[in-house]
């Protein structure tokens, strides 16, 4: 009985201590911190946010393509894995840019959901790809993403000469974009050549190679 009473007293004391340690700072209260270290211009910040949405949009589109080839009625596991991988890479690019934006003190007060919203398609359609058209679409999409990154670099270079971001984008992102696009273009060339010699069997064989 004494043991039970002792445990009860101990638990009550722990509860009181825990209550005292609870954070009472309101969630909407802003900390007063120096702002001089935040030197990205609003023009560059907005352009970077746009690029984040572009990367997230490409990720969703690759995911849609991967899901299409994963269906039992299509059954192209090689293509599916290729585009699942591409979706992960584009999402990772978006994540890295978000981390960079917050590192530079980027303001997300307008809502993170706007930054990573699902791309809206005005017209509903049913996707239907074969291997060649899918790879061609992927090359075109990567080309568009590369052009978008170049536009971001130009904006941030001309607007307040943000050399750090420009160097980061040039050294990391453009390198990956050029290599990735070249790889997809090579796959497209190979598949087209295989179709010339193997006809409809080419896509099946190429999928096995993937």
């Amino acid at each position: 009985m004494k043991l039970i009473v002792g445990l009860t007293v101990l638990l009550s004391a722990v509860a009181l201590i825990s209550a005292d340690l609870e954070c009472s700072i309101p969630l909407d209260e802003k900390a007063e911190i120096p702002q001089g270290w935040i030197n990205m211009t609003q023009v560059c910040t907005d352009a970077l946010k746009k690029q984040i949405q572009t990367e997230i949009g490409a990720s969703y589109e690759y995911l849609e393509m991967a899901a299409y080839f994963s269906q039992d009625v299509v059954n192209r596991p090689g293509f599916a894995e290729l585009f699942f991988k591409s979706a992960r890479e584009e999402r990772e690019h978006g994540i890295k840019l978000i981390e960079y934006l917050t590192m530079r003190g980027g303001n997300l007060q307008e809502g993170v959901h706007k930054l990573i919203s699902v791309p809206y398609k005005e017209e509903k359609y049913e996707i239907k790809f074969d291997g060649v058209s899918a790879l061609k679409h992927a090359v075109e999409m990567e080309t568009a993403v590369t052009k978008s990154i170049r536009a971001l670099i130009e904006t941030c270079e001309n607007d307040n000469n943000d050399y750090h971001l420009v160097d980061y984008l040039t050294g990391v992102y453009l390198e990956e974009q050029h290599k990735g696009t070249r790889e997809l273009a090579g796959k497209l060339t190979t598949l087209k050549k295989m179709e010339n010699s193997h006809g409809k069997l080419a896509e099946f064989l190429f999928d096995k190679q993937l």
Side-chain angles (χ1 to χ4, degrees):
M1 186 66 180
K2 290 182 179 180
L3 178 61
I4 295 175
V5 172
L7 287 173
T8 303
V9 173
L10 178 61
L11 291 173
S12 299
V14 170
L16 289 173
I17 293 173
S18 299
D20 291 337
L21 293 177
E22 286 183 2
C23 180
S24 59
I25 299 176
L27 294 178
D28 59 348
E29 183 174 324
K30 297 181 181 179
E32 295 296 332
I33 59 174
Q35 299 293 306
W37 66 278
I38 302 175
N39 55 13
M40 279 186 69
T41 65
Q42 190 61 48
V43 173
C44 186
T45 300
D46 291 342
L48 181 56
K49 290 178 180 179
K50 183 179 178 181
Q51 183 62 36
I52 291 171
Q53 184 59 51
T54 298
E55 301 287 349
I56 298 298
S59 176
Y60 276 107
E61 197 154 351
Y62 274 128
L63 186 60
E64 189 175 30
M65 294 165 68
Y68 172 80
F69 283 106
S70 295
Q71 297 176 95
D72 60 324
V73 293
V74 180
N75 196 33
R76 290 289 185 264
F79 280 98
E81 179 55 33
L82 173 65
F83 294 131
F84 275 130
K85 179 183 176 182
S86 297
R88 289 191 292 268
E89 288 176 351
E90 296 298 339
R91 182 184 63 187
E92 184 63 29
H93 290 170
I95 291 172
K96 287 180 179 179
L97 290 180
I98 291 173
E99 289 175 343
Y100 184 91
L101 179 63
T102 55
M103 180 189 74
R104 294 290 301 275
N107 184 1
L108 302 179
Q109 294 300 319
E110 76 278 9
V112 178
H113 67 283
K114 293 182 180 179
L115 193 64
I116 56 175
S117 61
V118 179
Y120 174 73
K121 293 182 178 178
E122 207 160 306
E123 294 182 3
K124 294 183 179 180
Y125 66 97
E126 182 179 354
I127 63 171
K128 188 174 182 180
F129 284 116
D130 56 25
V132 169
S133 62
L135 288 173
K136 182 180 179 182
H137 181 69
V139 170
E140 291 172 345
M141 187 160 56
E142 290 297 330
T143 301
V145 171
T146 300
K147 288 181 178 179
S148 180
I149 293 174
R150 287 183 177 278
L152 172 59
I153 290 172
E154 184 177 350
T155 297
C156 294
E157 187 173 26
N158 294 336
D159 186 69
N160 201 37
N161 293 327
D162 198 323
Y163 297 121
H164 188 272
L165 177 56
V166 169
D167 183 65
Y168 177 65
L169 293 172
T170 304
V172 178
Y173 278 79
L174 283 184
E175 179 79 9
E176 290 188 21
Q177 284 299 126
H178 291 321
K179 286 183 177 180
T181 306
R182 169 61 182 83
E183 183 180 345
L184 287 169
K187 285 181 169 57
L188 177 57
T189 298
T190 300
L191 179 54
K192 282 187 172 183
K193 288 182 177 180
M194 289 178 66
E195 285 191 343
N196 290 335
S197 57
H198 293 81
K200 292 184 178 180
L201 184 61
E203 185 178 304
F204 173 78
L205 296 174
F206 187 79
D207 183 76
K208 296 302 179 184
Q209 291 182 0
L210 289 176

